[in-house]
Amino acid sequence: MPRLLFFYLSKRVALATLLIATGLCVPVVMTTLFQYLPAAAIRGGLLMPALLGILPTVVYIALPMAVGVAVALEFARMSADGIIAVLYSMRLSAWAISVPAASVAIAAAAAGYWISSDFAPAHVGQMHDVIYVIRNSLNHRMLEPAQFYTFDNGARTLYFRRWRSADVVSGMFIHEFSTEKNEEQILTAAEAEFRRNANGVVLIMSDGSIETIPADGSSIRTANFDEYALPIGMQGSGGLPQRNWRGVFELPFLEFFRERPSSGEDPRQFAEWMSEAAKRCGIPLLALVHALLAIGLVLNVASASGGASAAVTATMLAIPAIHVAILVSAETLVRQDPRFVWFVGLAIVVEFAAAIILIERQNANFTLAKDIAAQPGP
Protein backbone atom coordinates (compact mmCIF):
# COMPACT_ATOMS: atom_id res chain seq x y z
CA MET A 1 0.00 0.00 0.00
CA PRO A 2 1.34 3.49 -0.82
CA ARG A 3 2.60 5.35 2.23
CA LEU A 4 0.36 8.36 1.68
CA LEU A 5 -2.73 6.18 1.49
CA PHE A 6 -1.62 4.24 4.57
CA PHE A 7 -1.28 7.40 6.68
CA TYR A 8 -4.53 8.83 5.34
CA LEU A 9 -6.58 5.77 6.28
CA SER A 10 -4.76 5.36 9.60
CA LYS A 11 -5.45 8.97 10.52
CA ARG A 12 -9.15 8.63 9.75
CA VAL A 13 -9.47 5.47 11.86
CA ALA A 14 -7.47 7.03 14.73
CA LEU A 15 -9.56 10.21 14.79
CA ALA A 16 -12.81 8.24 14.65
CA THR A 17 -11.56 6.04 17.50
CA LEU A 18 -10.75 9.11 19.59
CA LEU A 19 -14.19 10.62 19.04
CA ILE A 20 -16.05 7.37 19.73
CA ALA A 21 -13.95 6.62 22.82
CA THR A 22 -14.75 10.10 24.13
CA GLY A 23 -18.43 9.52 23.53
CA LEU A 24 -18.28 6.21 25.38
CA CYS A 25 -16.14 7.36 28.33
CA VAL A 26 -17.71 10.71 29.18
CA PRO A 27 -21.21 9.38 30.09
CA VAL A 28 -19.75 6.50 32.13
CA VAL A 29 -17.35 8.76 34.02
CA MET A 30 -19.98 11.43 34.68
CA THR A 31 -22.52 8.84 35.86
CA THR A 32 -19.99 7.35 38.27
CA LEU A 33 -19.01 10.76 39.62
CA PHE A 34 -22.63 11.75 40.20
CA GLN A 35 -23.29 8.41 41.87
CA TYR A 36 -20.46 8.58 44.42
CA LEU A 37 -19.72 12.29 44.87
CA PRO A 38 -22.13 14.63 46.65
CA ALA A 39 -22.26 18.27 45.66
CA ALA A 40 -20.07 19.22 48.61
CA ALA A 41 -17.24 17.07 47.22
CA ILE A 42 -16.49 19.72 44.60
CA ARG A 43 -16.14 22.30 47.36
CA GLY A 44 -13.84 19.88 49.16
CA GLY A 45 -11.52 19.51 46.18
CA LEU A 46 -12.32 15.82 45.62
CA LEU A 47 -13.44 16.07 42.00
CA MET A 48 -10.01 15.82 40.35
CA PRO A 49 -8.76 12.86 42.44
CA ALA A 50 -12.01 11.01 41.72
CA LEU A 51 -11.79 11.80 38.01
CA LEU A 52 -8.18 10.63 37.84
CA GLY A 53 -9.15 7.46 39.67
CA ILE A 54 -12.03 6.57 37.33
CA LEU A 55 -10.92 7.72 33.88
CA PRO A 56 -7.94 5.39 33.17
CA THR A 57 -9.93 2.25 33.91
CA VAL A 58 -12.88 3.39 31.82
CA VAL A 59 -10.57 4.31 28.94
CA TYR A 60 -8.82 0.97 28.65
CA ILE A 61 -12.13 -0.89 28.91
CA ALA A 62 -13.94 1.28 26.32
CA LEU A 63 -11.04 1.72 23.89
CA PRO A 64 -11.35 -1.71 22.17
CA MET A 65 -15.04 -1.14 21.47
CA ALA A 66 -14.26 2.32 20.11
CA VAL A 67 -11.63 0.87 17.78
CA GLY A 68 -14.00 -1.79 16.47
CA VAL A 69 -16.83 0.67 15.83
CA ALA A 70 -14.47 3.21 14.22
CA VAL A 71 -13.03 0.58 11.87
CA ALA A 72 -16.53 -0.60 10.96
CA LEU A 73 -17.69 2.93 10.14
CA GLU A 74 -14.59 3.70 8.10
CA PHE A 75 -14.77 0.50 6.05
CA ALA A 76 -18.49 0.97 5.52
CA ARG A 77 -17.80 4.48 4.21
CA MET A 78 -15.07 3.16 1.96
CA SER A 79 -17.40 0.48 0.64
CA ALA A 80 -20.25 2.91 0.02
CA ASP A 81 -17.97 5.39 -1.78
CA GLY A 82 -16.43 2.68 -3.94
CA ILE A 83 -13.00 3.06 -2.38
CA ILE A 84 -12.76 -0.66 -1.62
CA ALA A 85 -13.31 -1.42 -5.31
CA VAL A 86 -10.65 1.11 -6.26
CA LEU A 87 -8.17 -0.46 -3.84
CA TYR A 88 -8.93 -3.89 -5.29
CA SER A 89 -8.29 -2.46 -8.76
CA MET A 90 -4.88 -1.35 -7.52
CA ARG A 91 -4.21 -5.05 -6.88
CA LEU A 92 -4.30 -4.57 -3.10
CA SER A 93 -5.50 -7.67 -1.29
CA ALA A 94 -7.95 -7.73 1.60
CA TRP A 95 -5.03 -8.11 3.99
CA ALA A 96 -3.27 -5.11 2.48
CA ILE A 97 -6.41 -3.02 2.84
CA SER A 98 -6.62 -4.06 6.49
CA VAL A 99 -3.09 -2.90 7.37
CA PRO A 100 -3.88 0.77 8.27
CA ALA A 101 -6.79 -0.15 10.55
CA ALA A 102 -4.85 -3.05 12.07
CA SER A 103 -1.92 -0.71 12.78
CA VAL A 104 -4.17 1.67 14.69
CA ALA A 105 -5.70 -1.29 16.54
CA ILE A 106 -2.25 -2.59 17.53
CA ALA A 107 -1.30 0.87 18.84
CA ALA A 108 -4.58 1.02 20.78
CA ALA A 109 -3.94 -2.45 22.23
CA ALA A 110 -0.43 -1.40 23.31
CA ALA A 111 -1.84 1.74 24.93
CA GLY A 112 -4.51 -0.36 26.62
CA TYR A 113 -1.92 -2.73 28.08
CA TRP A 114 0.13 0.20 29.40
CA ILE A 115 -2.93 1.83 30.96
CA SER A 116 -4.26 -1.39 32.49
CA SER A 117 -0.88 -2.55 33.83
CA ASP A 118 0.76 0.69 34.95
CA PHE A 119 -1.22 3.92 34.72
CA ALA A 120 -4.63 2.77 35.95
CA PRO A 121 -3.29 0.80 38.97
CA ALA A 122 -1.25 3.83 40.01
CA HIS A 123 -4.33 6.09 40.10
CA VAL A 124 -7.42 3.94 40.60
CA GLY A 125 -6.85 3.94 44.36
CA GLN A 126 -7.57 7.67 44.45
CA MET A 127 -11.24 7.00 43.74
CA HIS A 128 -11.40 4.60 46.67
CA ASP A 129 -9.57 7.18 48.80
CA VAL A 130 -12.24 9.72 47.86
CA ILE A 131 -15.01 7.28 48.79
CA TYR A 132 -13.23 6.60 52.08
CA VAL A 133 -13.04 10.34 52.79
CA ILE A 134 -16.72 10.86 51.96
CA ARG A 135 -18.00 7.94 54.00
CA ASN A 136 -15.95 8.91 57.04
CA SER A 137 -16.45 12.71 56.76
CA LEU A 138 -12.70 13.31 56.57
CA ASN A 139 -12.85 16.48 54.48
CA HIS A 140 -13.84 19.45 56.60
CA ARG A 141 -15.21 21.42 53.64
CA MET A 142 -17.82 18.73 53.09
CA LEU A 143 -19.26 19.08 56.59
CA GLU A 144 -22.76 20.52 56.77
CA PRO A 145 -23.76 22.92 59.57
CA ALA A 146 -26.20 21.97 62.31
CA GLN A 147 -25.33 18.26 62.06
CA PHE A 148 -23.51 15.92 64.42
CA TYR A 149 -20.45 14.07 63.08
CA THR A 150 -18.63 11.27 64.89
CA PHE A 151 -14.95 10.39 64.49
CA ASP A 152 -12.49 7.87 65.90
CA ASN A 153 -15.13 5.15 66.24
CA GLY A 154 -17.49 7.39 68.15
CA ALA A 155 -14.91 8.75 70.60
CA ARG A 156 -15.29 12.29 69.24
CA THR A 157 -18.45 14.15 68.24
CA LEU A 158 -18.35 17.46 66.36
CA TYR A 159 -21.06 20.03 65.73
CA PHE A 160 -21.08 23.64 64.54
CA ARG A 161 -23.80 26.17 63.88
CA ARG A 162 -22.85 27.66 60.49
CA TRP A 163 -20.04 28.40 58.04
CA ARG A 164 -18.53 31.87 58.03
CA SER A 165 -16.00 31.21 55.25
CA ALA A 166 -14.45 28.24 53.45
CA ASP A 167 -12.49 27.20 56.57
CA VAL A 168 -14.06 29.15 59.45
CA VAL A 169 -17.20 28.16 61.36
CA SER A 170 -19.11 29.61 64.31
CA GLY A 171 -20.78 27.90 67.25
CA MET A 172 -18.38 24.96 67.55
CA PHE A 173 -19.17 22.10 69.93
CA ILE A 174 -16.96 19.04 70.48
CA HIS A 175 -17.50 16.10 72.81
CA GLU A 176 -14.72 13.53 73.15
CA PHE A 177 -13.78 10.71 75.48
CA SER A 178 -10.16 9.81 76.25
CA THR A 179 -9.59 6.18 77.17
CA GLU A 180 -6.04 6.98 78.29
CA LYS A 181 -7.12 9.63 80.80
CA ASN A 182 -10.45 7.94 81.46
CA GLU A 183 -12.30 11.21 81.17
CA GLU A 184 -14.54 13.08 78.77
CA GLN A 185 -14.24 16.65 77.58
CA ILE A 186 -16.74 19.11 76.23
CA LEU A 187 -15.29 21.98 74.20
CA THR A 188 -17.28 24.98 73.01
CA ALA A 189 -16.02 27.93 71.01
CA ALA A 190 -17.55 30.99 69.44
CA GLU A 191 -15.40 30.53 66.35
CA ALA A 192 -13.17 27.81 64.95
CA GLU A 193 -10.85 27.59 61.95
CA PHE A 194 -9.82 24.41 60.12
CA ARG A 195 -6.12 24.73 59.21
CA ARG A 196 -4.59 22.09 56.98
CA ASN A 197 -1.02 20.90 57.26
CA ALA A 198 0.95 18.02 55.76
CA ASN A 199 -0.23 15.60 58.45
CA GLY A 200 -3.90 16.48 58.74
CA VAL A 201 -6.03 19.30 60.11
CA VAL A 202 -5.59 21.44 63.22
CA LEU A 203 -8.77 23.01 64.60
CA ILE A 204 -8.01 26.47 66.01
CA MET A 205 -10.83 27.44 68.38
CA SER A 206 -11.26 30.96 69.72
CA ASP A 207 -13.12 32.39 72.71
CA GLY A 208 -14.36 29.17 74.28
CA SER A 209 -14.28 26.85 77.26
CA ILE A 210 -13.28 23.28 78.18
CA GLU A 211 -15.28 21.18 80.60
CA THR A 212 -13.49 18.04 81.84
CA ILE A 213 -15.54 15.26 83.45
CA PRO A 214 -13.77 12.21 84.97
CA ALA A 215 -15.34 8.83 84.36
CA ASP A 216 -16.22 8.46 88.04
CA GLY A 217 -17.84 11.91 88.08
CA SER A 218 -15.85 12.93 91.15
CA SER A 219 -15.07 16.49 90.09
CA ILE A 220 -15.81 18.65 87.07
CA ARG A 221 -13.16 21.11 85.93
CA THR A 222 -13.95 24.08 83.72
CA ALA A 223 -11.46 26.39 82.02
CA ASN A 224 -11.88 29.25 79.58
CA PHE A 225 -9.48 29.96 76.72
CA ASP A 226 -8.83 32.66 74.16
CA GLU A 227 -7.38 30.22 71.64
CA TYR A 228 -7.07 26.44 71.69
CA ALA A 229 -5.54 24.07 69.08
CA LEU A 230 -6.91 20.57 68.59
CA PRO A 231 -5.50 18.14 65.96
CA ILE A 232 -8.11 16.25 63.93
CA GLY A 233 -7.44 13.28 61.67
CA MET A 234 -8.89 14.76 58.50
CA GLN A 235 -7.60 15.34 54.98
CA GLY A 236 -4.59 17.61 55.12
CA SER A 237 -2.51 19.37 52.48
CA GLY A 238 -0.31 16.30 52.03
CA GLY A 239 -2.98 14.37 50.11
CA LEU A 240 -5.92 12.10 50.78
CA PRO A 241 -5.95 10.05 54.00
CA GLN A 242 -4.57 6.54 53.57
CA ARG A 243 -6.90 3.58 53.75
CA ASN A 244 -5.96 0.53 55.81
CA TRP A 245 -6.40 -1.81 52.82
CA ARG A 246 -5.10 -2.14 49.26
CA GLY A 247 -7.02 -3.75 46.44
CA VAL A 248 -5.57 -6.13 43.88
CA PHE A 249 -6.56 -3.62 41.18
CA GLU A 250 -3.99 -1.18 42.61
CA LEU A 251 -0.99 -3.48 42.06
CA PRO A 252 1.36 -2.63 39.16
CA PHE A 253 2.27 -5.21 36.54
CA LEU A 254 5.15 -7.11 38.18
CA GLU A 255 3.79 -6.89 41.71
CA PHE A 256 0.36 -8.01 40.47
CA PHE A 257 1.69 -11.34 39.21
CA ARG A 258 4.03 -11.78 42.19
CA GLU A 259 1.11 -11.38 44.58
CA ARG A 260 -1.00 -14.06 42.89
CA PRO A 261 -2.94 -15.73 45.75
CA SER A 262 -3.46 -19.44 46.15
CA SER A 263 -6.85 -20.85 45.29
CA GLY A 264 -6.78 -23.11 48.33
CA GLU A 265 -5.87 -20.51 50.95
CA ASP A 266 -8.28 -17.72 49.98
CA PRO A 267 -10.77 -18.65 47.20
CA ARG A 268 -12.44 -15.23 47.28
CA GLN A 269 -9.17 -13.35 46.86
CA PHE A 270 -8.09 -15.78 44.15
CA ALA A 271 -11.33 -15.23 42.23
CA GLU A 272 -10.90 -11.46 42.48
CA TRP A 273 -7.30 -11.75 41.24
CA MET A 274 -8.36 -13.94 38.29
CA SER A 275 -11.09 -11.48 37.35
CA GLU A 276 -8.61 -8.60 37.37
CA ALA A 277 -6.08 -10.67 35.40
CA ALA A 278 -8.72 -11.52 32.78
CA LYS A 279 -9.49 -7.84 32.30
CA ARG A 280 -5.87 -6.72 32.22
CA CYS A 281 -4.74 -9.44 29.82
CA GLY A 282 -7.82 -9.87 27.65
CA ILE A 283 -9.59 -6.52 27.30
CA PRO A 284 -6.76 -4.53 25.61
CA LEU A 285 -6.22 -7.32 23.07
CA LEU A 286 -9.82 -6.90 21.97
CA ALA A 287 -8.82 -3.69 20.18
CA LEU A 288 -7.07 -5.73 17.50
CA VAL A 289 -9.61 -8.57 17.56
CA HIS A 290 -12.61 -6.23 17.23
CA ALA A 291 -10.90 -4.31 14.42
CA LEU A 292 -10.22 -7.46 12.40
CA LEU A 293 -13.75 -8.75 12.97
CA ALA A 294 -15.20 -5.40 11.88
CA ILE A 295 -13.12 -5.52 8.68
CA GLY A 296 -14.18 -9.08 7.96
CA LEU A 297 -17.85 -8.42 8.60
CA VAL A 298 -18.01 -5.24 6.52
CA LEU A 299 -16.15 -6.72 3.56
CA ASN A 300 -18.22 -9.91 3.52
CA VAL A 301 -21.65 -8.43 4.26
CA ALA A 302 -21.11 -5.53 1.86
CA SER A 303 -20.01 -7.86 -0.94
CA ALA A 304 -22.94 -10.23 -0.28
CA SER A 305 -25.67 -7.60 0.03
CA GLY A 306 -24.19 -5.05 -2.34
CA GLY A 307 -24.64 -2.20 0.17
CA ALA A 308 -22.84 -0.74 3.15
CA SER A 309 -25.89 -0.15 5.34
CA ALA A 310 -26.38 -3.84 6.06
CA ALA A 311 -22.68 -4.17 6.86
CA VAL A 312 -22.81 -1.26 9.31
CA THR A 313 -25.91 -2.67 11.02
CA ALA A 314 -24.42 -6.13 11.40
CA THR A 315 -21.10 -4.82 12.70
CA MET A 316 -22.69 -2.29 15.05
CA LEU A 317 -24.70 -5.06 16.63
CA ALA A 318 -21.89 -7.61 16.79
CA ILE A 319 -18.94 -5.60 18.13
CA PRO A 320 -20.62 -3.98 21.20
CA ALA A 321 -22.48 -7.21 22.02
CA ILE A 322 -19.31 -9.30 21.96
CA HIS A 323 -17.35 -6.70 23.92
CA VAL A 324 -19.97 -6.37 26.64
CA ALA A 325 -20.37 -10.14 26.88
CA ILE A 326 -16.62 -10.68 27.37
CA LEU A 327 -16.38 -7.80 29.85
CA VAL A 328 -19.34 -9.03 31.92
CA SER A 329 -17.93 -12.55 31.91
CA ALA A 330 -14.55 -11.33 33.14
CA GLU A 331 -16.13 -9.13 35.80
CA THR A 332 -18.89 -11.39 37.14
CA LEU A 333 -18.57 -15.00 36.00
CA VAL A 334 -14.87 -15.25 36.80
CA ARG A 335 -15.54 -13.82 40.27
CA GLN A 336 -18.12 -16.55 40.82
CA ASP A 337 -15.87 -19.32 39.49
CA PRO A 338 -12.27 -18.61 38.38
CA ARG A 339 -12.49 -21.49 35.90
CA PHE A 340 -14.64 -19.26 33.70
CA VAL A 341 -11.43 -17.43 32.77
CA TRP A 342 -10.95 -20.17 30.19
CA PHE A 343 -14.33 -19.25 28.73
CA VAL A 344 -13.20 -15.62 28.41
CA GLY A 345 -9.99 -16.67 26.70
CA LEU A 346 -11.86 -19.05 24.40
CA ALA A 347 -14.31 -16.32 23.41
CA ILE A 348 -11.44 -14.03 22.40
CA VAL A 349 -9.77 -16.83 20.40
CA VAL A 350 -13.05 -17.69 18.63
CA GLU A 351 -13.64 -14.06 17.69
CA PHE A 352 -10.07 -13.75 16.41
CA ALA A 353 -10.41 -16.95 14.37
CA ALA A 354 -13.72 -15.77 12.90
CA ALA A 355 -12.13 -12.48 11.89
CA ILE A 356 -9.20 -14.24 10.20
CA ILE A 357 -11.56 -16.58 8.32
CA LEU A 358 -13.76 -13.71 7.10
CA ILE A 359 -10.82 -11.64 5.87
CA GLU A 360 -9.12 -14.67 4.31
CA ARG A 361 -12.37 -15.46 2.51
CA GLN A 362 -12.33 -12.05 0.87
CA ASN A 363 -8.63 -12.40 0.18
CA ALA A 364 -9.27 -15.73 -1.58
CA ASN A 365 -11.96 -14.12 -3.72
CA PHE A 366 -9.55 -11.32 -4.58
CA THR A 367 -6.84 -13.81 -5.58
CA LEU A 368 -9.28 -15.77 -7.74
CA ALA A 369 -10.48 -12.64 -9.52
CA LYS A 370 -6.90 -11.52 -10.09
CA ASP A 371 -5.97 -14.88 -11.61
CA ILE A 372 -8.97 -14.78 -13.93
CA ALA A 373 -8.10 -11.27 -15.03
CA ALA A 374 -4.51 -12.30 -15.69
CA GLN A 375 -5.50 -15.16 -18.05
CA PRO A 376 -4.97 -14.35 -21.75
CA GLY A 377 -8.08 -14.02 -23.85
CA PRO A 378 -9.02 -16.56 -26.54
Side-chain angles (χ1 to χ4, degrees):
M1 176 176 288
R3 176 181 294 183
L4 184 61
L5 183 60
F6 171 83
F7 284 113
Y8 169 75
L9 295 177
S10 299
K11 183 179 70 173
R12 288 189 61 89
V13 173
L15 290 177
T17 299
L18 181 62
L19 292 176
I20 295 172
T22 303
L24 291 174
C25 293
V26 169
V28 175
V29 171
M30 296 303 296
T31 301
T32 306
L33 291 177
F34 285 130
Q35 179 181 358
Y36 287 102
L37 269 64
I42 300 177
R43 183 175 68 239
L46 299 178
L47 178 61
M48 289 308 298
L51 181 62
L52 191 58
I54 296 172
L55 188 58
T57 302
V58 175
V59 167
Y60 94 77
I61 289 177
L63 187 59
M65 185 191 296
V67 173
V69 173
V71 171
L73 291 175
E74 181 60 22
F75 269 73
R77 182 195 68 84
M78 292 166 59
S79 178
D81 295 345
I83 298 177
I84 298 293
V86 173
L87 295 177
Y88 280 151
S89 68
M90 296 171 58
R91 296 188 177 277
L92 294 176
S93 66
W95 286 113
I97 297 174
S98 305
V99 169
S103 300
V104 175
I106 291 173
Y113 276 116
W114 174 72
I115 295 174
S116 65
S117 300
D118 184 71
F119 190 78
H123 297 87
V124 68
Q126 295 192 33
M127 182 59 192
H128 293 273
D129 292 337
V130 169
I131 297 174
Y132 174 73
V133 169
I134 293 173
R135 290 179 177 176
N136 295 275
S137 304
L138 297 180
N139 188 302
H140 70 271
R141 292 181 178 176
M142 293 184 59
L143 302 179
E144 297 292 340
Q147 292 189 23
F148 288 92
Y149 294 92
T150 58
F151 303 94
D152 301 331
N153 297 321
R156 175 178 291 168
T157 302
L158 183 147
Y159 171 93
F160 60 91
R161 185 175 296 112
R162 64 183 180 91
W163 284 101
R164 299 188 61 179
S165 66
D167 298 308
V168 178
V169 300
S170 63
M172 174 62 70
F173 168 86
I174 295 177
H175 175 274
E176 59 182 5
F177 182 82
S178 174
T179 55
E180 297 179 356
K181 299 180 181 179
N182 199 27
E183 62 183 17
E184 58 179 313
Q185 286 186 330
I186 299 176
L187 295 88
T188 58
E191 184 177 281
E193 178 183 0
F194 295 90
R195 293 183 185 177
R196 285 180 172 176
N197 56 36
N199 299 319
V201 173
V202 177
L203 185 62
I204 307 298
M205 294 179 287
S206 304
D207 189 18
S209 64
I210 303 177
E211 183 175 321
T212 304
I213 307 173
D216 57 6
S218 57
S219 61
I220 300 177
R221 303 186 303 273
T222 303
N224 297 324
F225 59 82
D226 295 327
E227 190 170 270
Y228 185 84
L230 179 67
I232 299 179
M234 288 186 171
Q235 177 187 350
S237 59
L240 296 173
Q242 295 297 314
R243 292 168 282 120
N244 57 1
W245 59 274
R246 189 185 187 194
V248 67
F249 46 82
E250 299 179 69
L251 302 178
F253 180 77
L254 294 179
E255 187 178 355
F256 175 77
F257 286 98
R258 283 199 304 263
E259 296 294 330
R260 179 180 180 273
S262 174
S263 59
E265 296 179 359
D266 191 346
R268 177 180 172 276
Q269 187 69 19
F270 178 73
E272 184 177 349
W273 187 93
M274 290 297 290
S275 173
E276 182 68 17
K279 290 185 292 184
R280 290 193 186 190
C281 298
I283 297 300
L285 183 61
L286 290 177
L288 177 61
V289 177
H290 288 343
L292 295 178
L293 182 63
I295 294 171
L297 284 174
V298 171
L299 292 181
N300 281 268
V301 175
S303 62
S305 62
S309 59
V312 172
T313 303
T315 309
M316 288 299 182
L317 292 175
I319 298 297
I322 294 173
H323 185 82
V324 171
I326 293 176
L327 177 61
V328 170
S329 299
E331 182 67 30
T332 59
L333 294 182
V334 178
R335 288 180 183 269
Q336 297 296 325
D337 190 343
R339 290 175 294 183
F340 276 109
V341 73
W342 296 106
F343 171 77
V344 175
L346 180 62
I348 296 174
V349 171
V350 169
E351 182 185 357
F352 183 73
I356 297 297
I357 293 172
L358 290 173
I359 297 176
E360 183 59 32
R361 179 183 177 187
Q362 286 298 307
N363 195 63
N365 294 337
F366 164 80
T367 304
L368 180 61
K370 183 174 68 174
D371 292 340
I372 295 176
Q375 290 179 0

